[in-house]
Amino acid sequence: MYSCNQLLQALEAGQCDAPLAAVYTAGGLTQARARALHVTQALADAFAPKGAAALFSGPGRTELGGNHTDHQRGHVLCASVDMDMMACAAPNGQNVIRVQSEGYPTLEVDLSDLSPRPEEANSSAALVRGVAAGIAQRGYAVGGFDACAVSNVLSGSGLSSSAAYEILIGNIINHFFCEGKLDAIELAKIGQYAENVHFGKLSGLMDQMGSSVGGAVAIDFGDPADPVVRPISYDFAASGHALCIVDTGSDHSAKHLTEDYSNITREMRSVAVHFSKQLLREVPEADFRAAIPALRRECGDRAVLRALHFYDDDRRAVQEADALEQGNFAAFLALVNASGVSSSLHLQNTWSTADPRQQAIPLALAFGRELLEGTGSIRVHGGGFAGTIQAFVPLEKLDAFRSGMEALLGPGMCHVLRVRPQGGCVVVA
């Protein structure tokens, strides 16, 4: 265990290089050490902690397959990426959590009342309170801590900065107050609870699982209490393609979009309710297709199209995972493209009806397809409506693709990512 000052000395002396390099393989040890020193010094300056300090990481995640299938207990394919939130934290002996995220005011959460607060909806404070509440509900005595954090997870990017934050906070509490007894899957469930109940967004569990578990994973959410997690062994670096996340410049985090996301869940569930079920996973696809005329009258055409997307993309997510395991990257790319078409036409999550003048995602997809010239794959990324698109770009086309997208959207808007083996974790303790 290190005090904050001891951790600073150890970082400066290179004594923490091995654990840093194990997590930050892609970004380079020099950059990782500089970030670690930065957050540790920030903690010392802001809070002067007296107890044990440690470094933590919560990575972003990319959705590889299964767009909006998780909240219906379907199948997904996702992976943690080499953008993360890093924090240095230490217990403060008080009943309050204080988090200073770089560029934002320090937030404080009083642990004496962990019930949801309507005034905190859509805020970081709601996520912190929700994670603390979820862990307390499991019988742990959650205490206060101070933390300073930095992030290179693109906000509103579909890389799920909210899940990265939840997993970061969950790992801090787990380390200091739970003896590390909560595993990655349980921490993901706690993060989803925080987002659903406290933050007010009816998300599924994919974001948190992708951030928490690490690497590429196929997940079957058929039993929410015990999801089946299958690690997928595939070397994306050997595929001859770069994974690009393109920021369209539209605000994925706008408050009115929370309703757009939630409407997808509500409309899919309205179809399930027709069959006296709560989720589409519980309704056989043959029964759904036979009832489409009645469902159009009862639920509306958009709900029917969104349900059709669920069944098709749920099946595709399994096929995508199988294709990767079999080393068939061409089949994987074809399935990703098919998923993108379904998201655009059936799920309809590429732009918001609340702001029809903003259609940055369809525009970026159109330009991206021209640049790819029938190669690779391209689709909406994550929740949709605004934010980012995802593309697998042949390496020989990467420079042209990046320059073309940035000519449309602005410098620095096309990001090349790598799949990260580690999920949320204690980096140095």
Side-chain angles (χ1 to χ4, degrees), residues 279-400:
L279 301 163
L280 288 177
R281 178 66 180 263
E282 302 169 336
V283 180
E285 184 178 359
D287 293 354
F288 157 72
R289 288 183 176 275
I292 284 178
L295 289 167
R296 292 183 65 196
R297 294 188 297 270
E298 182 179 328
C299 306
D301 287 344
R302 190 171 73 170
V304 172
L305 284 166
R306 285 175 163 173
L308 182 65
H309 167 84
F310 165 78
Y311 288 108
D312 288 344
D313 228 41
D314 185 56
R315 184 164 43 248
R316 270 189 291 265
V318 177
Q319 294 169 345
E320 287 166 348
D322 291 344
L324 289 178
E325 284 203 321
Q326 294 161 10
N328 191 344
F329 199 69
F332 169 76
L333 292 176
L335 290 161
V336 172
N337 278 322
S339 175
V341 171
S342 181
S343 290
S344 295
L345 297 182
H346 300 157
L347 187 63
Q348 300 178 35
N349 69 330
T350 60
W351 59 279
S352 172
T353 57
D355 185 14
R357 287 177 57 86
Q358 186 284 108
Q359 296 197 23
I361 285 179
L363 184 63
L365 288 171
F367 271 74
R369 288 191 186 96
E370 290 182 1
L371 292 166
L372 287 172
E373 301 177 309
T375 64
S377 67
I378 191 166
R379 64 193 284 268
V380 65
H381 183 247
F385 298 106
T388 58
I389 62 173
Q390 177 196 78
F392 282 95
V393 181
L395 294 179
E396 65 271 17
K397 292 181 179 289
L398 180 57
D399 289 342

Side-chain angles (χ1 to χ4, degrees), residues 98-119:
R98 298 181 293 198
V99 182
Q100 185 180 87
S101 296
E102 190 167 65
Y104 297 90
T106 300
L107 68 82
E108 295 191 7
V109 173
D110 186 344
L111 299 175
S112 61
D113 179 10
L114 294 178
S115 59
R117 295 188 177 184
E119 69 273 15

Side-chain angles (χ1 to χ4, degrees), residues 171-352:
N171 272 277
I172 294 172
I173 296 175
N174 189 35
H175 175 69
F176 288 131
F177 306 107
C178 309
E179 299 179 340
K181 292 180 179 179
L182 295 168
D183 64 20
I185 293 175
E186 199 64 24
L187 287 171
K189 294 177 184 176
I190 290 165
Q192 184 200 21
Y193 162 81
E195 192 149 328
N196 289 179
V197 177
H198 290 253
F199 189 84
K201 180 178 174 182
L202 296 179
S203 68
L205 188 56
M206 178 181 67
D207 294 351
Q208 292 80 10
M209 289 287 277
S211 177
S212 191
V213 174
V217 290
I219 308 169
D220 179 355
F221 291 115
D223 180 356
D226 188 22
V228 178
V229 180
R230 174 166 59 116
I232 302 299
S233 179
Y234 182 78
D235 183 4
F236 285 89
S239 69
H241 289 71
L243 169 59
C244 294
I245 297 296
V246 181
D247 186 350
T248 67
S250 51
D251 187 3
H252 182 280
S253 60
K255 287 188 177 180
H256 72 268
L257 296 186
T258 297
E259 191 66 14
D260 285 315
Y261 307 135
S262 297
N263 278 339
I264 290 177
T265 304
R266 293 189 187 105
E267 290 180 19
M268 287 186 179
R269 285 182 177 174
S270 74
V271 173
V273 167
H274 173 86
F275 300 93
S276 300
K277 304 295 184 182
Q278 291 299 309
L279 301 163
L280 288 177
R281 178 66 180 263
E282 302 169 336
V283 180
E285 184 178 359
D287 293 354
F288 157 72
R289 288 183 176 275
I292 284 178
L295 289 167
R296 292 183 65 196
R297 294 188 297 270
E298 182 179 328
C299 306
D301 287 344
R302 190 171 73 170
V304 172
L305 284 166
R306 285 175 163 173
L308 182 65
H309 167 84
F310 165 78
Y311 288 108
D312 288 344
D313 228 41
D314 185 56
R315 184 164 43 248
R316 270 189 291 265
V318 177
Q319 294 169 345
E320 287 166 348
D322 291 344
L324 289 178
E325 284 203 321
Q326 294 161 10
N328 191 344
F329 199 69
F332 169 76
L333 292 176
L335 290 161
V336 172
N337 278 322
S339 175
V341 171
S342 181
S343 290
S344 295
L345 297 182
H346 300 157
L347 187 63
Q348 300 178 35
N349 69 330
T350 60
W351 59 279
S352 172

Side-chain angles (χ1 to χ4, degrees), residues 63-74:
E63 170 199 287
L64 301 176
N67 192 218
H68 280 279
T69 55
D70 55 335
H71 50 71
Q72 298 301 300
R73 296 185 189 167

Side-chain angles (χ1 to χ4, degrees), residues 16-26 28-29 32 420-423 425-427:
C16 302
D17 284 359
L20 285 170
V23 175
Y24 299 99
T25 53
L29 178 59
R420 169 175 140 168
Q422 297 85 0
C425 61
V426 183
V427 181

